[in-house]
Amino acid sequence: MTYQEAAEHAFGQAVSFDPQILRSYDHDLGEMPRPLMALIQHRPHTVVVARSAADVATALSLAKRYDVPVTPRGQASAGYGGAIPSRGGMVLDLSNCNRILAVDADKNTVDVEPGVVWEDLSRALAPHGLDNRVCPTSAPSSTVGGWFAMGGVGIGSLRYGSIRDSVLEIDVAGLDGTIRTFAGADMEPFHQTCGGLGVITRLRLACRPAEAILPLAVRLPDAAAAARFLETLATTPAAYSASLVNAGYCALRAQAEGHRPAITSGFLVSIALLAPQADTAAIARLASDCGGEVLDDAVAAQEWEGRYYPMRIKKIGPSALVGEFFIPFEGFAATSADLTAALPDDAFGLEAFAVRGGKLAVLVYILDDAKALLYPLRMAKAMIPLRLAARHGGAPYATGMWFSALAKGIYGPDKYERIARLKTARDSRDLLNPGSIGGPWLPFLPIISLSRCILWGTACLAPLAARLSYTRRRATKHPGATA
Amino acid sequence: MSTQEQSPTARDAALAKMLAEAVDTCARCGFCKVSCPTYPFGGGFETFSPRAKVAFLKDYFEGRDVLTPEWVDRLYRCTTCERCQTVCQTAIPLVALWESVRADIVTKGLGPMPAHKKLRALAEKHGNPYGESASRQSQWLSPEHHPMEAADILIFGGCTASYRMPSMLQTGVTILTRLGVPYAYAGGEEHCCASPLLRTGQLDVAGELIGKNLDLFARTGARTLVTPCGGCSKTLKHDYPVWAEKLGKPFDVTVRHFSEVYVDLLRQGRIKPSVAVNKTVTFHDPCHVGRSQGLFDEPREILAAIPGIKLLEMPRCRESSRCCGAGGGVKANYPQMAAAIARERLDEAVATGADTLVTMCPFCQGSFSQAIKESEASIGLSGLEELLLASLRQ
Ligand SMILES: Cc1cc2nc3c(=O)[nH]c(=O)nc-3n(C[C@H](O)[C@H](O)[C@H](O)COP(=O)(O)OP(=O)(O)OC[C@H]3O[C@@H](n4cnc5c(N)ncnc54)[C@H](O)[C@@H]3O)c2cc1C
Ligand code: SF4
Ligand code: SF4
């Protein structure tokens, strides 16, 4: 039986080799220049829509039998290239593995298939008096499995840490077609490794009691004051989530949405408090001690309601380069100042999530136009924020395919060694999401990692790129839009 | 087929430019994908999602891809329910995009779908897509109704209500009659509002029908058009002003969906629902009434005013309401898909435990009535106005 016959036999209508179908699976959130994409086989030759753990196991054993690379994919809402094939092969679309398997209201846990969408999970937990502890701001579309495999922080991370801290147990399918359960430290290698060691088919999550949330908005005069404020806020029992944006971000969003910016200078911190324990007077005192002020309730409500729309500013881009990094609270002010100095002519917005343990996950949006001639060159700017942050104790946010060369720094040497050993044992032919751990390789020189070339290239080009500011071509709202 | 000049530019350059720019801003977040009622009917492949369609259109506008029959088919598998547009991260006017591309497809002779061509032929010949004769248009009038020759209010029945699902129209007019609110009705002269033709990209014939209706409205001298239909009211509110300008005809009227009229009457104290209607109901927000016109509070205000009614909301309601599957020409050309979408929504309604599913659009009513029959679901179906009428003293 040929590979195609075997795949059709196993999956019937749920497998496709149609080029028109396949074209939808050759990209993720990131807008990479075409010449760069041309260096990898980004278009798969097969797509399988899995609807169960058994489908996943079947797809993986098929891949092993026919030596076909497999790239798992949730909603492809991450921008690190993890869900893009680097050697063609099969994309395993997991977004239809989306059943909620069991809720244990006594233990505050839920078992889910990997393709369950965060917002759907929140809705399904509500009747049980539970809610997600953490979720990304892409919660209306992104999947539980995708976020765990990608690693990240988001809403709720001030109280509950990263997604890793809320996952209790996982099932992972391997190339041999078996599914094994991992918990505790054994789970660690599957976190942040983008499916490079196996495909997650079930996750058990810890949930929080579904308490009402009270949003508050505070303006702080500068980055140092914002960091000081967050540091104390983190110790407040009612603190659930906190994120901040700079005035530049507010200005861009106001322009995109057609209203007046909430702040015109300093930083806007949006706080979500657990309502039953909230002490708003104490927060107001804290804000004032840091030289800030509590803003109108309407601003707070608007920020909380708009929490899933961080990329609205793209409307005036039309593209956005995104630089991301972790930074300890104490390094934030210096990094922020360096950024302003390094990108003097750019319209950039800064958004950050406070994370348990005293750090911030910072996103820097630099508006651009992916169609412009100089875009591939200006892309080097996306690495500037991480480089500046590194001077002040910063670290990379995630790996994926594009930043796999940073994996050691992200995982730490111990986890890195463990992953490397497991990779050899579980997937010696590098079929599981090839490129996500250590690769991908340059097509004409397959001993050099493309990810490393990107790091070198952007390091060399960044000074030049920083001088090439982008003039926006329009600043209007799309007429007719209802959102 | 893949060049710039073959994109929708010829028809409306400014709109085409705006839409081509808008697709550039797509953040690829996938919010539209998970909320689209038709995406699951593409076998679960991303390609059938609005996000993938936007990506395709971006390439198409930039000359990197061509409109194949498969893409044409995918682009017609959309009910124009506006859910994707409501959730869009970068506020792309997605429905304008879908409709504009459909018009482009028709201009190039690559569409519309076979059933849509039939709608067109019937509308051209009979003035309505059901192929009914004008003489049957006012069949729903009962002896109790007394339309005037001319009045401030002109009832616009709409084809679906007039010829297929008359209960809402009939009841609405009965309520006006009993309250002594004067109204005119031009039964026999009304043409299809053109919604099915606009949504399927058949702009030439749509323009003809709209022109005839504009002439009719001007002739009657009406100040307010009142209709029970979501599709008609959306089209009259949003499309007619644009077309009136394009055709150089006057359109100096206010358009109101019946629910808006009831709310006014309630607030003015002219209707006083007092007879208990002991029902536990759930309300389905029709896409073209809710998301298109923002009428979310009005039906709930009416329900709240009726003694004995208990409202149980479906989890997906108001802005996030799920489509009934009928709009955008989908029911005509993809009846099975439309029926499956309606059944899904019906299941949500049944799950609330309500004994009656309430709507306020004859299109939705048609979909659900079929779905209830086919699935033998144990839930009743009622138009909002029927409940209201039942609560008024004779
Ligand atoms: C509007 C917006 C807001 C965002 N906000 C945040 C945020 O607050 N925090 C944050 O961290 N990120 C954020 N992101 C990025 C992204 O949404 C998250 O990383 C998200 O969790 C990815 O989920 P996904 O289902 O789209 O995964 P994908 O992008 O499909 O996959 C991510 C990686 O996981 C792998 N993978 C997917 N499923 C599995 C599986 N079952 N088993 C093994 N490997 C798998 C893929 O191969 C890929 O390498 C945001 C993105 C957008 C568009
Ligand atoms: S309008 Fe409705 S059916 Fe059409 S793409 Fe958007 S969500 Fe899907
Ligand atoms: S919701 Fe809007 S921005 Fe997000 S993928 Fe869909 S079209 Fe693009």
Side-chain angles (χ1 to χ4, degrees):
Chain A
M1 223 194 282
T2 63
Y3 161 71
Q4 185 159 343
E5 284 164 354
E8 275 167 354
H9 177 71
F11 294 108
Q13 300 283 310
V15 64
S16 178
F17 306 95
D18 176 352
Q20 291 189 47
I21 301 261
L22 297 168
R23 67 186 303 291
S24 315
Y25 289 90
D26 67 2
H27 56 266
D28 66 359
L29 177 80
E31 286 181 277
M32 291 307 196
R34 280 166 215 286
L36 183 64
M37 293 301 280
L39 292 175
I40 54 167
Q41 281 181 49
H42 56 284
R43 192 159 291 182
H45 59 50
T46 314
V47 174
V48 170
V49 173
R51 293 192 188 268
S52 65
D55 281 354
V56 173
T58 306
L60 291 188
S61 33
L62 195 74
K64 185 180 181 198
R65 190 159 10 119
Y66 291 92
D67 213 16
V68 170
V70 191
T71 306
R73 185 185 196 266
Q75 295 285 7
S77 71
Y80 286 73
I84 305 176
S86 66
R87 282 196 353 237
M90 178 199 293
V91 163
L92 192 52
D93 184 336
L94 297 158
S95 60
N96 288 274
C97 284
N98 56 5
R99 282 172 303 178
I100 291 161
L101 301 169
V103 181
D104 188 333
D106 293 331
K107 292 189 182 143
N108 286 7
T109 63
V110 61
D111 282 24
V112 295
E113 288 187 330
V116 165
V117 166
W118 285 103
E119 202 180 36
D120 292 343
L121 180 56
S122 171
R123 256 194 298 268
L125 288 171
H128 302 276
L130 297 174
D131 206 342
N132 300 322
R133 295 195 344 173
V134 287
C135 69
T137 54
S138 51
S141 71
S142 65
T143 69
V144 173
W147 203 29
F148 180 79
M150 189 67 213
V153 296
I155 296 163
S157 287
L158 179 65
R159 188 181 189 85
Y160 293 109
S162 81
I163 168 64
R164 168 69 187 84
D165 301 316
S166 289
V167 177
L168 305 172
E169 189 179 285
I170 54 173
D171 285 352
V172 182
L175 283 172
D176 58 2
T178 61
I179 298 177
R180 288 176 53 201
T181 303
F182 297 87
D186 291 342
M187 235 172 12
E188 194 56 44
F190 302 98
H191 169 236
Q192 295 181 306
T193 44
C194 297
L197 296 172
V199 178
I200 299 156
T201 55
R202 179 187 63 94
L203 301 97
R204 175 166 297 162
L205 300 173
C207 308
R208 69 177 175 91
E211 290 168 292
I213 293 292
L214 176 75
L216 278 185
V218 172
R219 194 190 81 82
L220 278 313
D222 53 44
R228 216 168 46 244
F229 175 79
L230 287 172
E231 211 164 349
T232 315
L233 180 76
T235 60
T236 310
Y240 167 61
S241 192
S243 63
L244 66 83
V245 290
N246 69 347
Y249 180 94
C250 282
L252 292 173
R253 199 179 51 197
Q255 195 181 338
E257 292 176 349
H259 55 71
R260 284 189 11 204
I263 56 164
T264 50
S265 67
F267 288 80
L268 171 62
V269 179
S270 302
I271 308 164
L273 299 171
L274 298 174
Q277 307 157 52
D279 179 352
T280 46
I283 305 287
R285 274 196 304 278
L286 172 61
S288 151
D289 289 349
C290 296
E293 57 179 336
V294 173
L295 299 175
D296 216 59
D297 285 351
V299 176
Q302 191 179 325
E303 294 295 314
W304 181 247
E305 275 156 25
R307 66 196 180 281
Y308 297 146
Y309 287 83
M311 297 177 78
R312 174 101 348 143
I313 58 174
K314 224 178 153 267
K315 234 170 87 178
I316 49 169
S319 312
L321 297 164
V322 182
E324 231 172 332
F325 56 85
F326 280 114
I327 188 87
F329 284 156
E330 56 273 20
F332 179 59
T335 308
S336 177
D338 284 1
L339 261 170
T340 311
L343 299 168
D345 301 323
D346 276 292
F348 80 86
L350 183 151
E351 190 202 14
F353 267 104
V355 186
R356 193 176 71 186
K359 60 180 178 179
L360 282 162
V362 183
L363 268 112
V364 179
Y365 297 96
I366 309 163
L367 295 187
D368 212 304
D369 182 356
K371 281 202 288 209
L373 214 58
L374 290 178
Y375 180 74
L377 191 55
R378 282 198 297 259
M379 274 202 85
K381 271 191 238 181
M383 283 302 287
I384 293 176
L386 173 56
R387 284 215 175 78
L388 296 177
R391 292 184 199 159
H392 306 288
Y397 185 76
T399 64
M401 166 168 47
W402 304 125
F403 292 152
S404 55
L406 296 173
K408 207 172 200 166
I410 293 173
Y411 304 149
D414 291 348
K415 178 168 169 177
Y416 188 77
E417 289 309 318
R418 204 166 156 206
I419 288 166
R421 273 199 310 278
L422 266 176
K423 183 75 180 169
T424 314
R426 291 177 70 94
D427 179 23
S428 56
R429 284 179 290 166
D430 195 17
L431 295 178
L432 289 165
N433 204 353
S436 63
I437 301 175
W441 310 106
L442 284 181
F444 43 86
L445 202 59
I447 48 165
I448 298 186
S449 136
L450 175 61
S451 167
R452 195 155 293 285
C453 290
I454 292 173
L455 294 183
W456 290 333
T458 51
C460 298
L461 292 173
L464 174 63
R467 290 205 212 158
L468 300 171
S469 64
Y470 160 65
T471 317
R472 273 171 279 145
R473 61 181 153 89
R474 86 196 122 91
T476 48
K477 279 211 313 179
H478 307 317
T482 56
Chain B
M1 230 189 300
S2 59
T3 53
Q4 283 283 350
E5 64 269 27
Q6 282 158 326
S7 66
T9 44
R11 198 173 25 83
D12 189 335
L15 175 70
K17 184 167 179 290
M18 186 274 286
L19 293 174
E21 282 184 2
V23 295
D24 282 350
T25 66
C26 171
R28 301 171 176 181
C29 64
F31 289 9
C32 56
K33 175 188 166 185
V34 295
S35 45
C36 173
T38 62
Y39 150 72
F41 295 88
F45 291 103
E46 164 82 20
T47 318
F48 292 81
S49 71
R51 174 171 66 177
K53 290 175 190 173
V54 169
F56 164 75
L57 290 174
K58 183 169 151 76
D59 281 351
Y60 171 58
F61 291 155
E62 289 169 18
R64 284 193 305 274
D65 219 327
V66 293
L67 267 173
T68 60
E70 291 81 10
W71 272 112
V72 168
D73 181 64
R74 275 175 212 130
L75 288 159
Y76 271 103
R77 285 178 184 271
C78 156
T79 63
T80 65
C81 74
E82 297 190 19
R83 181 73 186 121
C84 53
Q85 178 169 296
T86 309
V87 298
C88 180
Q89 180 76 219
T90 56
I92 301 173
L94 290 162
V95 175
L97 179 68
W98 312 139
E99 290 182 1
S100 167
V101 172
R102 288 177 179 188
D104 186 35
I105 287 169
V106 172
T107 310
K108 293 193 176 102
L110 301 171
M113 294 290 125
H116 305 149
K117 288 183 187 153
K118 280 192 200 146
L119 295 184
R120 176 200 178 99
L122 291 171
E124 273 177 327
K125 192 160 171 214
H126 303 279
N128 68 77
Y130 294 109
E132 296 283 356
S133 69
S135 61
R136 279 173 47 83
Q137 194 168 52
S138 48
Q139 63 182 346
W140 57 269
L141 280 175
S142 75
E144 179 184 3
H145 300 146
H146 304 293
M148 325 258 297
E149 273 298 301
D152 193 44
I153 290 178
L154 176 69
I155 300 295
F156 187 85
C159 308
T160 304
S162 303
Y163 297 117
R164 293 291 180 269
M165 303 294 298
S167 62
M168 286 184 168
L169 175 59
Q170 222 160 24
T171 319
V173 172
T174 303
I175 292 172
L176 295 187
T177 309
R178 292 197 190 161
L179 290 177
V181 176
Y183 57 87
Y185 174 59
E189 287 180 75
E190 194 186 288
H191 285 78
C192 170
C193 71
S195 171
L197 300 151
L198 289 172
R199 311 295 156 230
T200 55
Q202 308 186 80
L203 302 193
D204 50 351
V205 64
E208 280 172 36
L209 294 169
I210 292 171
K212 287 178 184 160
N213 278 332
L214 288 170
D215 292 341
L216 169 69
F217 302 153
R219 229 173 24 245
T220 61
R223 312 278 313 153
T224 310
L225 289 171
V226 176
T227 175
C229 178
C232 296
S233 47
K234 168 187 163 153
T235 306
L236 290 165
K237 271 186 193 176
H238 299 327
D239 298 278
Y240 271 54
V242 180
W243 277 88
E245 205 180 314
K246 215 184 272 186
L247 299 172
K249 293 181 188 259
F251 185 60
D252 189 20
V253 292
T254 307
V255 179
R256 315 212 77 194
H257 181 259
F258 253 116
S259 59
E260 295 173 86
V261 175
Y262 301 139
V263 165
D264 280 354
L265 293 170
L266 272 173
R267 288 180 190 162
Q268 291 160 9
R270 293 182 68 186
I271 331 185
K272 290 196 181 73
S274 53
V275 180
V277 180
N278 294 319
K279 282 184 190 295
T280 305
V281 306
T282 189
F283 181 72
H284 166 77
D285 291 277
C287 305
H288 290 169
V289 175
R291 278 187 290 270
S292 299
Q293 300 177 52
L295 300 175
F296 298 112
D297 293 333
E298 286 74 359
R300 288 168 177 84
E301 195 174 327
I302 297 164
L303 287 171
I306 302 175
I309 291 278
K310 185 176 168 212
L311 172 66
L312 298 176
E313 292 281 14
M314 287 181 257
R316 291 189 278 198
C317 61
R318 304 178 72 99
E319 281 91 345
S320 45
S321 174
R322 192 90 169 156
C323 177
C324 77
V330 162
K331 195 167 185 177
N333 202 64
Y334 308 99
Q336 284 174 347
M337 180 169 95
I341 295 173
R343 270 200 302 278
E344 229 180 82
R345 184 61 170 161
L346 181 65
D347 288 347
E348 289 181 41
V350 171
T352 62
D355 53 48
T356 308
L357 168 59
V358 179
T359 70
M360 52 178 190
C361 170
F363 244 75
C364 302
Q365 212 179 22
S367 296
F368 292 134
S369 127
Q370 185 190 334
I372 290 172
K373 214 180 289 164
E374 282 171 8
S375 64
E376 295 175 13
S378 53
I379 192 167
L381 180 66
S382 174
L384 189 64
E385 29 289 87
E386 291 170 63
L387 298 180
L388 184 62
L389 181 61
S391 73
L392 301 179
R393 290 212 182 276
Q394 294 284 320

